[in-house]
């Protein structure tokens, strides 16, 4: 029997056109471009004026076009997100409807910033097993929805965006060679959105916003991402010199630098775009992978490492053999619509809401 592999055959991204810069943030909180850049590597981030499912749809259409398949060939949509448009139904339902993927099942996966890697390992396993022929995996976030723009420790970090890949059955030896998925649920509360969900039903005075104990999260992220990355490289039977590119979760440049040092990788073998988009949680790796392919940084049959850390506290890593093709079969030229609102108008509702709470 011919071996069955799971190859990434398509990729795509979607980013809102409205930009929130460090200089903009200087006008609303006590911070500076120098302070933000030195501590995170972030220069700007995108703020969405459209629903997350619109971003997911465009990224997904681009990935399906790049794969050269029809939407009807997609067997399953996995929508990795921690900012769903609703609890019921799952946001994947909206994505499926907008795509017209009439033959696909659809589920949400929430492992926060690790969600894309979790979803990718699942997609790879389903395709290898024969349970699916083509899985469309989307990472999408509209984190600006949860950001308190009066809190300088968190509002500098997060942005909106989407990325997607198609994982397809193939005779080409490709896909996940080794993976590690982990969580320390005892520390879940140090990066969370309290008062949101059924565990503690909210009241009229409840505040729903993203809160984070930054120094503790940073310390744990450095250790977990580096340890998981080393582990999957070892499990894959690679030497460190065998790694062509590290595509990490873009949370903080210092975390990425620490992981790269553990893997003995110079900057030429690490992909960074955190300066342009900030932390888009589950969307960071597929956006980064798409840009790395477009920049010619992913070789045919290349050895890649994906690594992430996020709320939960989750972590994930995968050693990945990329496929033969690094050129898209098709290209979607469509863009998200232009916004008729400025960045200030888009974030003003959050700023007003949290500002009033602070003054009470």
């Amino acid at each position: 029997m011919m071996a069955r592999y799971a190859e990434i055959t398509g990729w795509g991204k979607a980013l809102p056109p409205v930009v929130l810069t460090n200089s903009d943030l200087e006008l609303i909180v006590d911070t500076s471009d120098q302070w933000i850049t030195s501590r995170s590597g972030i220069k700007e981030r995108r703020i969405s004026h459209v629903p997350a499912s619109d971003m997911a749809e465009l990224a997904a259409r681009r990935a399906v076009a790049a794969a050269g398949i029809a939407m009807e060939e997609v067997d399953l949509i996995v929508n990795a997100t921690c900012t769903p448009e609703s609890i019921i139904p799952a946001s994947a339902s909206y994505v499926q409807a907008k795509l017209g993927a009439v033959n696909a099942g659809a589920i949400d996966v929430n492992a926060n910033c690790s969600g894309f890697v979790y979803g990718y390992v699942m997609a790879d396993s389903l395709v290898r097993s024969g349970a699916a022929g083509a899985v469309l995996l989307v990472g999408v976030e509209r984190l600006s929805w949860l950001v308190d723009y009066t809190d300088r420790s968190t509002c500098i970090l997060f942005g909106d965006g989407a990325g997607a890949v198609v994982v397809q059955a193939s005779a080409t030896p490709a896909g996940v060679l080794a993976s590690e998925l982990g969580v320390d649920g005892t520390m879940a509360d140090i990066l969370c959105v309290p008062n949101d969900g059924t565990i503690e039903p909210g009241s009229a005075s409840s505040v729903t916003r993203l809160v984070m104990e930054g120094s503790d999260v940073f310390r744990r992220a450095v250790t977990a991402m580096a340890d998981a990355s080393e582990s999957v490289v070892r499990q894959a039977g690679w030497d460190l010199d065998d790694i062509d590119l590290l595509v990490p979760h873009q949370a903080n440049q210092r975390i990425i630098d620490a992981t790269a040092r553990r893997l003995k990788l110079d900057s030429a073998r690490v992909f960074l775009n955190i300066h342009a988009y900030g932390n888009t949680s589950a969307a960071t790796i597929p956006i980064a992978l798409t840009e790395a392919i477009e920049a010619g940084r992913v070789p045919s049959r290349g050895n890649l490492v994906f690594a992430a850390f996020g709320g939960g506290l989750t972590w994930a890593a995968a050693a990945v053999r990329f496929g033969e093709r690094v050129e898209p079969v098709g290209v979607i030229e469509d863009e998200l619509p232009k916004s008729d609102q400025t960045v200030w108008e888009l974030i003003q509702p959050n700023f007003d809401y949290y500002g009033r709470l602070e003054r009470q």
Side-chain angles (χ1 to χ4, degrees):
M1 179 183 295
M2 182 179 294
R4 182 182 175 102
Y5 300 96
E7 183 177 357
I8 293 177
T9 59
W11 47 87
K13 64 178 183 178
L15 292 153
V18 179
V19 176
L20 178 65
T21 68
N22 290 351
S23 297
D24 293 332
L25 290 170
E26 289 177 351
L27 301 176
I28 58 176
V29 290
D30 182 15
T31 192
S32 69
D33 173 61
Q34 189 277 330
W35 190 90
I36 297 169
T37 304
S38 65
R39 284 161 176 78
S40 69
I42 300 169
K43 284 290 190 181
E44 56 189 43
R45 65 290 292 149
R46 303 295 179 93
I47 307 297
S48 184
H49 63 296
V50 298
S53 57
D54 283 5
M55 293 187 284
E57 178 192 4
L58 179 57
R61 288 194 183 280
R62 287 175 166 167
V64 169
I69 64 174
M71 198 63 71
E72 292 77 11
E73 295 178 69
V74 175
D75 298 307
L76 178 67
I77 297 167
V78 178
N79 190 61
T81 187
C82 62
T83 52
E85 292 178 17
S86 63
I87 296 174
I88 300 174
S91 291
S93 296
Y94 301 125
V95 177
Q96 184 269 347
K98 289 180 178 182
L99 292 172
V102 294
N103 296 316
I107 59 169
D108 279 1
V109 170
N110 183 0
N112 302 288
C113 298
S114 304
F116 178 82
V117 182
Y118 267 68
Y120 175 54
V121 172
M122 291 168 55
D124 183 277
S125 298
L126 287 166
V127 170
R128 284 177 187 265
S129 72
V135 176
L136 174 57
L137 170 61
V138 181
V140 59
E141 304 287 6
R142 194 179 180 188
L143 287 160
S144 61
W145 174 54
L146 295 172
V147 170
D148 176 356
Y149 288 100
T150 70
D151 178 5
R152 70 171 186 169
S153 67
T154 56
C155 73
I156 66 172
L157 299 174
F158 299 101
D160 304 335
V165 297
V166 172
V167 181
Q168 198 169 359
S170 173
T172 300
V176 176
L177 302 184
S179 64
E180 180 174 319
L181 308 178
V183 64
D184 181 0
T186 66
M187 302 304 296
D189 290 344
I190 69 173
L191 176 52
C192 67
V193 179
N195 305 318
D196 183 31
T198 63
I199 191 170
E200 185 178 341
S203 67
S205 61
S206 295
V207 181
T208 299
R209 59 180 166 185
L210 191 152
V211 295
M212 180 174 69
E213 296 179 23
S215 59
D216 204 1
V217 171
F218 176 87
R219 177 173 58 83
R220 293 172 186 276
V222 167
T223 301
M225 275 184 59
D227 285 352
S229 298
E230 274 194 316
S231 175
V232 297
V233 168
R234 184 174 60 255
Q235 291 176 54
W238 294 348
D239 294 326
L240 296 180
D241 288 342
D242 294 329
I243 301 170
D244 292 306
L245 192 68
L246 170 67
V247 185
H249 169 49
Q250 309 282 315
N252 184 297
Q253 187 164 344
R254 292 184 295 164
I255 296 172
I256 296 169
D257 290 345
T259 302
R261 283 195 298 272
R262 284 278 291 274
L263 298 177
K264 296 181 171 57
L265 300 178
D266 59 24
S267 60
R269 291 195 288 160
V270 181
F271 191 83
L272 281 172
N273 62 4
I274 190 172
H275 60 285
Y277 310 126
N279 182 349
T280 58
S281 190
T284 66
I285 290 179
I287 292 171
L289 177 63
T290 297
E291 295 193 343
I293 295 169
E294 292 171 345
R297 303 264 311 265
V298 175
S300 176
R301 303 290 311 283
N303 292 334
L304 310 183
V305 175
F306 299 158
F309 180 92
L313 294 171
T314 62
W315 61 88
V320 179
R321 174 70 47 76
F322 205 75
E324 294 279 358
R325 184 171 50 78
V326 291
E327 296 291 335
V329 174
V331 176
I332 296 290
E333 300 289 354
D334 296 345
E335 298 286 351
L336 292 172
K338 292 182 179 180
S339 174
D340 60 2
Q341 294 178 285
T342 67
V343 67
W344 302 115
E345 291 170 326
L346 288 172
I347 70 170
Q348 194 68 45
N350 294 45
F351 191 72
D352 288 346
Y353 174 60
Y354 296 123
R356 282 196 302 272
L357 291 170
E358 293 296 328
R359 291 191 294 271
Q360 288 176 0

